[in-house]
Amino acid sequence: MDYTISEIARIIGSASSVAGADSKISRLLTDSRSLTYPSDTLFFALTTASGDGHRYIKQLYDRGVRNFVVADGFTPSGEMAEANLLYVDSPLRALQALAAHHRRCYDIPVVGITGSRGKTTVKEWLNQLLQGDMEIIRSPRSYNSQIGVPLSVWQLTDKTDLGLFEAGISQPGEMARLKEILAPRIGVFTNIGPAHSSGFESIGQKCSEKALLLDGCECVVYNADDPLVSRCVKEAPLTIGWSRSNPEAMLYVSDIERSDGLTTFRYKYKGGDVREISIPFAGEHELENAIHCLAVMLCLGISPEVIRSRMGALTPVGTRLEVIEGVSGCLLIHDNYTSDFNSLAPALDFMKRRMSPDCTATVIVSDLMHDADADLSDLYSSMGRLLAVAGVSRVIGVGPELSAHKDCFSGETEFFATTEEFLADKTTADFSNELVLVKGAPHFGFARICELLEARQHETVLEINLDAIVSNFNAFRSRIKPTTAIACMIKASGYGAGSHELARTLQAQGASYLAVAVHDEGADLRRAGITMPILVLNPTVENFQALFADRLEPEIYSFDFLKALIREAKRYGVVSYPVHIKIDSGMHRLGFLKEDLPALIELLKSQDNVVPRSIFSHLCAADDPQEDDYTQMQFRYFDECCEILTSAFPERKIMRHILNSTGITRFPEHQLDMVRLGIGLYGVRTMHDGSQDDLRPVSSLNTVIISLKNWPAGTTIGYNRRGVLRRQSVIATIPVGYADGINRHFGYGNISVMVNGVKCPTVGSICMDACMIDVTDVDGVKVGDRVEIFGENMPVDDLAEVLGTIPYEVLTSVSQRVKRVYYRE
């Protein structure tokens, strides 16, 4: 359904300034970087903790957008005579009001899914189970937020028979707004857990808030064996509280058996006949998600025979979107999420944000998943237009449908009937300096294409969770004022995680600065397409021209360096170049003292080549309460220095910053104009008093078992026969050693690693490329099983403690030969 801009103004209650009342709107935009079709787009200038959309209005206007929802008091910059400006109290509330109106235009069932885990899987499985019966619109990926839900609901059309939408919240008051937008007839509460609980007083409060989505639903589905969820859920006309322990439950599940990757169970619904179902999964979470789907299908009146058949054919839901180093200067993006048209635009948007001038954009894509009665010509024509608008220069299609509709695509194109045909024809030599999006439906097996194009095939992988980076950034963002800027430390190659993807993620999230140690790190980020301000903390005098060319802002810590910088700036005709003044308030490493400031001010005022952008210092004992007197002395000393310097430049805004990750947590009253977020960004807690329990580990070092051997007691394992077995043991070899960053002190049982939920100690010495672990206590252990060395279940702090060091050293010690995989769920 299209709306005119005047209709939208009426719906959202805008005091509008409309130049063209008949402008037709079919697309909503909240992020300027995701613009595709300007002429029919309405941009909502949202103000969030990570940025202000009003700053991008003129840029969007110049790119062809003419319709904007803005906050009262906004004044356009420059000439925008053709702009339709809809003024409202809150652009976010206006977006939600428009989506709620749009939802009410369609008298169709909507399934609203909430909970702490499993929302996306339940949604995608319901789509698999029901798409043969009806036209379904669902949330793209996990669009379940205050912004994501309205954008999801906007997709509803006259052809839609069913909506499947997730609803996630992070603080009280949010679910009521999502419920108003979704107006669900069927509500699903998957489970409750500690994830994303920092905004709530207790898990009980979070559960009650989530349960608000279910109020007024015609059918409610939940796990009645969970006492907390059961207390929060109110009765509905049809309440399906399923149970594995209560035979009197509305939906009773029993006789669960697992074997060969299958789970078989029996169920009885409303006291009727006992029926049996098998699903092609063996995990506990998959079983729980499948029961929720079963309950929804029963609610919708699907016959038991159809349910049995379709649930037996369920396929895994790949929610991860991975970024991997490719061959010949390529960067791979592997999106193993459901491959349909609905999921293509978010993947292309993710790709577009990683484009750089030295790489062309390539998409390798399979036939799209679709309803049986879909108009294929229309579907693939729309796909071709979307790829062209996204700037894709090379399209490689795999599948009979794409091959039959090759004329729908422009630019450099190739088509193959099968993945096998592609692999038989293509080699790594066919790809060079390309950003490659690989996106295929599960049965096409596109993992084989990624294996061909990956630069490294080492079994040991450092996985970096970009969602955790965002979560940690927002956790610290919530601790400071909205007006306080954040500088994110990504020196030492992002604390070992790799800086490019972290920088792109933080740039998109709205960080104010990135901070690196040396010029080369900053130059590398510029080559990768990072445009945001970059602070260099340890600049040298080797190459000032490159510093200026890459727009890298240096720390100034001595008179000698400042004079050299000014001299070179004059030489190259550089004026008003931003620099950052380092104060030594007590670390006694680098920086100016208070008595140096008069001379420093005189030197700065004597020229116009460089100007102070900020003044900062470094706390040396913020995490030690016994040193709080010293820390307070540092604050006082720094404040005095700030007063001296800023008063000397009353015409200039000079930012002040002294807090690190620990300081943000313990001393928020000293946040000043900016804070510097370091190790906390990576999910490593510097405080263990509960104040940082909302942080999530970002890096996870994983490998696999490559060999299993049974040995009797008394056998020696490894070099010098120092690993002596005390019992009959099963010993596994894993392909990771000190050349990968596993310190030799980790041998002889000094650390344990995680295998299938069991902690397994090392045995014998750590070798260069391998080490041995005792897996005797792991049931069903086999070659190929995943081994976590540190990450979600094995804190990196534990490894650091063994070495008598800090987590920084462990994280930065992971060798560059270890493959990095970046992913988002």
Side-chain angles (χ1 to χ4, degrees):
M1 176 186 292
D2 291 344
Y3 294 82
T4 66
I5 194 67
S6 55
E7 287 175 329
I8 292 176
R10 184 179 69 256
I11 293 167
I12 65 177
S14 167
S16 58
S17 172
V18 176
D22 292 330
S23 297
K24 289 290 183 69
I25 300 298
S26 59
R27 292 176 172 83
L28 307 184
L29 181 68
T30 61
D31 188 324
S32 62
R33 294 161 297 187
S34 300
L35 178 65
T36 51
Y37 301 97
S39 60
D40 57 356
T41 290
L42 175 62
F43 178 68
F44 287 78
L46 305 182
T47 301
T48 67
S50 59
D52 184 354
H54 295 86
R55 296 185 304 195
Y56 305 101
I57 287 178
K58 183 58 169 66
Q59 176 189 109
L60 287 169
Y61 183 87
D62 292 340
R63 294 170 63 188
V65 179
R66 292 295 179 265
N67 303 290
F68 305 89
V69 176
V70 299
D72 291 334
F74 169 73
T75 302
S77 60
E79 178 58 38
M80 294 176 56
E82 298 179 4
N84 294 321
L85 300 176
L86 307 188
Y87 290 91
V88 294
D89 290 339
S90 166
L92 175 59
R93 297 290 178 268
L95 171 67
Q96 294 169 340
L98 178 58
H101 171 88
H102 188 67
R103 163 68 182 100
R104 289 192 293 271
C105 292
Y106 301 98
D107 184 22
I108 61 170
V110 160
V111 180
I113 308 167
T114 191
S116 298
R117 186 187 63 246
K119 296 187 293 294
T120 300
T121 298
V122 170
K123 177 196 68 183
E124 293 300 328
W125 277 358
L126 285 172
N127 182 63
Q128 289 183 30
L129 294 164
L130 297 168
Q131 64 181 348
D133 300 322
M134 53 191 75
E135 181 78 22
I136 297 173
I137 289 295
R138 67 195 194 283
S139 310
R141 300 195 74 89
S142 55
Y143 275 35
N144 58 32
S145 67
Q146 299 291 301
I147 299 171
V149 168
L151 296 178
S152 299
V153 168
W154 183 254
Q155 300 175 96
L156 294 173
T157 71
D158 292 335
K159 297 180 180 180
T160 306
D161 299 312
L162 177 71
L164 301 173
F165 301 112
E166 301 177 44
I169 56 173
S170 58
Q171 59 187 22
E174 291 184 337
M175 189 57 84
R177 292 191 288 270
L178 299 186
K179 179 179 179 295
E180 172 67 18
I181 297 167
L182 292 175
R185 292 186 188 173
I186 301 174
V188 179
F189 199 139
T190 60
N191 50 60
I192 194 70
H196 313 299
S197 295
S198 59
F200 300 93
E201 295 178 358
S202 66
I203 194 170
Q205 183 192 37
K206 183 175 77 166
C207 187
S208 296
E209 179 76 13
K210 285 180 178 287
L212 292 176
L213 179 69
L214 314 178
D215 289 356
C217 288
E218 297 172 5
C219 174
V220 168
V221 173
Y222 71 100
N223 179 1
D225 292 336
D226 187 320
L228 179 56
V229 173
S230 297
R231 287 198 300 270
C232 295
V233 172
K234 298 177 181 178
E235 289 293 316
L238 177 57
T239 303
I240 306 179
W242 60 265
S243 174
R244 294 161 58 177
S245 60
N246 179 15
E248 303 305 317
M250 176 74 74
L251 175 60
Y252 175 53
V253 176
S254 62
D255 302 318
I256 298 166
E257 297 180 359
R258 294 182 172 91
S259 64
D260 299 325
L262 293 175
T263 299
T264 300
F265 63 92
R266 293 183 174 89
Y267 74 91
K268 183 170 64 173
Y269 179 56
K270 291 185 176 180
D273 295 337
V274 175
R275 300 183 181 276
E276 185 175 279
I277 283 180
S278 291
I279 59 173
F281 304 95
E284 181 64 28
H285 294 326
E286 287 86 353
L287 173 60
E288 183 176 298
N289 293 333
I291 297 172
H292 282 118
C293 293
L294 167 64
V296 172
M297 295 184 77
L298 292 169
C299 175
L300 290 171
I302 309 297
S303 73
E305 293 75 19
V306 170
I307 293 175
R308 175 186 172 87
S309 172
R310 293 181 183 176
M311 293 197 76
L314 283 172
T315 59
V317 176
T319 59
R320 284 178 43 143
L321 195 156
E322 299 178 338
V323 181
I324 310 165
E325 182 184 350
V327 299
S328 305
C330 292
L331 187 66
L332 282 182
I333 301 174
H334 183 201
D335 183 6
N336 55 16
Y337 188 61
T338 304
S339 184
D340 59 5
F341 188 79
N342 185 54
S343 67
L344 183 58
L348 289 171
D349 184 54
F350 185 87
M351 179 188 194
K352 186 163 61 174
R353 300 187 189 196
R354 279 147 185 82
M355 290 183 182
S356 59
D358 58 344
C359 280
T360 57
T362 296
V363 170
I364 303 175
V365 64
S366 76
D367 287 350
L368 297 178
M369 299 171 66
H370 55 75
D371 297 331
D373 57 351
D375 184 331
L376 298 188
S377 294
D378 182 62
L379 175 67
Y380 287 109
S381 293
S382 298
M383 180 182 179
R385 289 193 296 272
L386 183 60
L387 292 173
V389 169
V392 175
S393 55
R394 182 184 183 191
V395 178
I396 300 177
V398 178
E401 291 180 357
L402 276 167
S403 299
H405 294 85
K406 62 178 67 176
D407 293 341
C408 296
F409 301 88
S410 58
E412 182 182 350
T413 60
E414 297 174 89
F415 295 91
F416 302 91
T418 65
T419 304
E420 289 72 20
E421 187 179 315
F422 169 92
L423 293 171
D425 183 78
K426 292 299 175 187
T427 70
T428 56
D430 294 308
F431 298 86
S432 178
N433 297 315
E434 296 169 63
L435 178 60
V436 184
L437 171 63
V438 181
K439 184 172 178 61
H443 62 278
F444 281 91
F446 269 19
R448 291 173 291 168
I449 295 178
C450 287
E451 290 172 4
L452 170 71
L453 299 180
E454 281 183 30
R456 285 172 282 189
Q457 299 293 332
H458 196 11
E459 296 94 338
T460 301
V461 176
L462 186 69
E463 295 185 333
I464 297 96
N465 186 341
L466 299 179
D467 286 332
I469 281 283
V470 171
S471 176
N472 295 338
F473 179 90
N474 289 336
F476 281 97
R477 174 84 267 176
S478 69
R479 290 166 163 81
I480 59 178
K481 296 179 293 187
T483 54
T484 301
I486 298 180
C488 293
M489 315 297 289
I490 57 171
K491 59 183 181 177
S493 190
Y495 290 57
S499 59
H500 293 183
E501 280 304 312
L502 301 187
R504 292 185 182 105
T505 300
L506 293 166
Q507 180 169 272
Q509 196 61 22
S512 300
Y513 265 86
L514 298 176
V516 297
V518 296
H519 164 263
D520 288 347
E521 292 180 330
D524 190 42
L525 291 174
R526 290 293 187 232
R527 301 293 87 78
I530 301 303
T531 58
M532 65 185 296
I534 298 175
L535 168 61
V536 182
L537 295 172
N538 296 301
T540 65
V541 296
E542 295 174 358
N543 194 344
F544 285 113
Q545 183 181 13
L547 193 77
F548 298 142
D550 288 322
R551 308 181 316 283
L552 303 177
E553 303 177 18
E555 165 190 313
I556 304 298
Y557 52 83
S558 72
F559 284 105
D560 289 341
F561 181 77
L562 178 57
K563 290 175 181 177
L565 180 65
I566 292 172
R567 182 175 63 251
E568 293 301 304
K570 290 181 184 292
R571 176 184 174 190
Y572 293 107
V574 174
V575 296
S576 300
Y577 200 81
V579 298
H580 301 262
I581 307 301
K582 177 68 173 289
I583 297 298
D584 182 358
S585 64
M587 175 70 82
H588 303 324
R589 184 171 61 184
L590 291 172
F592 296 97
L593 300 174
K594 184 163 57 177
E595 51 264 35
D596 296 325
L597 293 184
L600 175 63
I601 291 169
E602 182 180 358
L603 178 56
L604 289 170
K605 283 182 168 290
S606 69
Q607 50 78 54
D608 64 354
N609 303 98
V610 303
V611 294
R613 180 72 178 96
S614 82
I615 177 173
F616 73 104
S617 190
H618 198 102
L619 299 175
C620 64
D623 56 351
D624 187 353
Q626 295 184 10
E627 294 291 346
D628 280 358
D629 287 345
Y630 191 84
T631 300
Q632 292 297 335
M633 180 279 296
Q634 283 194 267
F635 286 138
R636 291 191 297 271
Y637 188 93
F638 180 64
D639 287 344
E640 292 169 3
C641 292
C642 288
E643 177 61 28
I644 294 170
L645 184 69
T646 57
S647 62
F649 296 90
E651 75 288 352
R652 181 173 299 281
K653 171 62 177 176
I654 301 176
M655 293 193 299
R656 304 158 297 154
H657 49 109
I658 190 172
L659 294 186
N660 54 11
S661 297
T662 308
I664 297 169
T665 303
R666 297 194 64 220
F667 307 105
E669 67 275 14
H670 292 282
Q671 62 189 260
L672 304 175
D673 303 302
M674 188 161 71
V675 295
R676 299 189 305 277
L677 182 52
I679 194 66
L681 181 65
Y682 301 88
V684 177
R685 302 171 190 170
T686 57
M687 302 299 299
H688 298 277
D689 56 1
S691 60
Q692 294 181 340
D693 285 357
D694 54 348
L695 302 184
R696 299 171 57 192
V698 168
S699 297
S700 178
L701 182 61
N702 303 289
T703 188
V704 297
I705 293 174
I706 60 172
S707 174
L708 287 169
K709 295 288 180 66
N710 288 277
W711 298 111
T715 303
T716 59
I717 305 295
Y719 285 116
N720 303 115
R721 304 190 65 201
R722 293 178 182 171
V724 182
L725 300 182
R726 305 300 180 189
R727 60 174 178 171
Q728 175 82 24
S729 303
V730 181
I731 302 300
T733 300
I734 56 178
V736 60
Y738 57 77
D740 301 295
I742 304 302
N743 194 287
R744 294 190 77 243
H745 292 89
F746 291 155
Y748 308 109
N750 288 325
I751 68 164
S752 292
V753 297
M754 185 73 77
V755 181
N756 297 341
V758 178
K759 292 184 178 180
C760 302
T762 57
V763 180
S765 59
I766 304 294
C767 310
M768 178 182 286
D769 307 302
C771 64
M772 285 67 74
I773 58 175
D774 185 343
V775 295
T776 308
D777 299 324
V778 182
D779 292 336
V781 65
K782 61 186 182 299
V783 170
D785 279 352
R786 178 185 173 98
V787 180
E788 180 183 310
I789 298 165
F790 65 75
E792 193 76 34
N793 303 296
M794 304 297 292
V796 71
D797 312 60
D798 293 351
L799 276 67
E801 186 175 347
V802 169
L803 299 177
T805 185
I806 55 178
Y808 300 61
E809 182 175 342
V810 177
L811 291 172
T812 57
S813 295
V814 178
S815 168
Q816 287 304 307
R817 82 173 185 175
V818 174
K819 180 172 69 176
R820 268 70 172 169
V821 174
Y822 305 88
Y823 69 94
R824 301 200 73 159
E825 295 292 350

